[in-house]
Amino acid sequence: MKKKLVSVLMCAAMTATVLAGCGSSSTTTTTDTSSADTSAADTSASNAAETTAATEAAADASADASASGDVLTIGFAQVGHESDWRTASTNSCQTVFTAENGYDLQFVDCDNDSAVQIEAVRGFIEQDVDYIIIDPIVSTGWDTVLTECEDAGIPVIVIDRTIDDSDKYVSWVGSNFKTEGLAAGEWLKAYAELKGIEDINVLVIEGSTGASATIGRTDGFKEIADREGWTILDSQNGDFTQAGGQEVMESYCKSYEGQFNVVICQNDNEAFGAMDAMKNAGVSYGVDGDVILVSFDACTAGLEYVLSGDINADFECNPLAAPFVEEVIQTLEAGGTPEKEVYMSEHWFVNEDILSSITVDGEEQELTVVDQAVVDAQY
Ligand code: GZL
C-alpha cells in the first residue's frame, strides 16, 4: 500500500521556468521569465532564487509529510558518475529528496550501463516505491519496463535526457539539446565572421552514443555546419568523460594534423581531456590559439577555462532539475496534473565581449561574457 501524504500544501510557487531566450524553446509554457536583459550573474542568481522558491515551496509541503510521519520513497536510476555535470545532477537530487524533507531516496548509480539501469527500475518496482526518477542513459528500449511501472501504479518522472520510444511517464524535466547544438553553430558562424575566418574545418568529440544529449547537440550543430558549408572532418564518441576526450583528441591530432581549426566537445570533461591532448601535441587553442574550442555544460570548471580564454564558448545545460521534479511530485500528491515537459533555463557563455547575442531558431538569445562573478555563481 503506497504511503500517501496526509496533508500536502500546494506548492506556493508552482513555477516551471521556461525562458523565452537562452536556449529554451518549449511546447509547454507555464511561466515565461526572460533573462534577455540581465547579466548572467544576476540571472544565475535569479535562477537560484527561482530554484530556492521552488525548493522552499515544495519543501513546506513535504515537511508536512515528514511531520505527519508519511514518507515518500523515491527510486532514482542515475546515468552514472562520468562528469562534473552528473555530479551536480546527483547532488541536486540528494539535496532535495532528504529524510528531513519527508523522502526516502533509493539512489542507484547505473555506471553508464543501460542493462543495469533497466534492472534498477525493476528493483524499484519490487520495492514498491512511491515514485521513480530516471535519467535515461540512452533514449530507446524503455517501453517494456515503463509498462511494468504503469502496471505497478508507480509514476515515473524522466529528467535530463529523453526517452524517445515511450510516453509512459508523467513528466520530463530537462533541456533542449538540439537548441544547444544550434546555438553553438550560430555562435561559431557569427564569431568566425567577426574574426575574418572563412574556412571552418571541424573535429567533433561526441557524447555517449545513443544519449539524447549527444543526438541533439550533434544534429543541431550539423544543421548549421551544412547550411554554412563547413567541413566536419570527423565526429567520434568521447563518452562525456575527460579520458574519452583526451583519447579521441590524441587520435585527431595525429590523423588531422594541421587540417582543423575548430574542436567541438559535447561536454566540459571531454574539453578538459582535449586540451591536454592538444597541449601535448603542440596545438594552440582558445582565444589566442589556432583552434577555436567549444564546449557544452558550462559547469564551474568549464567556465573557469572560458574565463582564462582556453575555451572560447561554453553552452550551458542546467543539471539542477530536482526542485522542479519535487514540484511535479507534490502536484501529484495534491491530486493535480503536472506539466508533461519542463524546460530548464540556460545561458551561452563566451570569453570575448565582441558579440552580444545570436539568433537561434529565429529567437535572439543573449551571450554572457564570463567574469569571476559568473564563475562563482555557477552550479
Ligand atoms: C546532458 C547530460 C550530459 C552532460 C554530460 O543533459 O545528460 O551527460 O552534457 C553528462 O556532462 O555526462
Side-chain angles (χ1 to χ4, degrees), residues 275-292:
M275 286 191 275
D276 288 342
M278 285 192 279
K279 204 176 298 169
N280 295 339
V283 175
S284 65
Y285 54 84
V287 170
D288 299 324
D290 295 333
V291 174
I292 296 167

Side-chain angles (χ1 to χ4, degrees), residues 82-83 85-86 160-161 177 213 217 240 266-267 297 317:
E82 73 285 357
S83 64
W85 190 100
R86 189 64 52 201
D160 177 31
R161 299 180 189 177
F177 304 119
R217 291 169 189 164
F240 286 133
Q266 290 189 350
N267 86 326
D297 282 354
C317 182

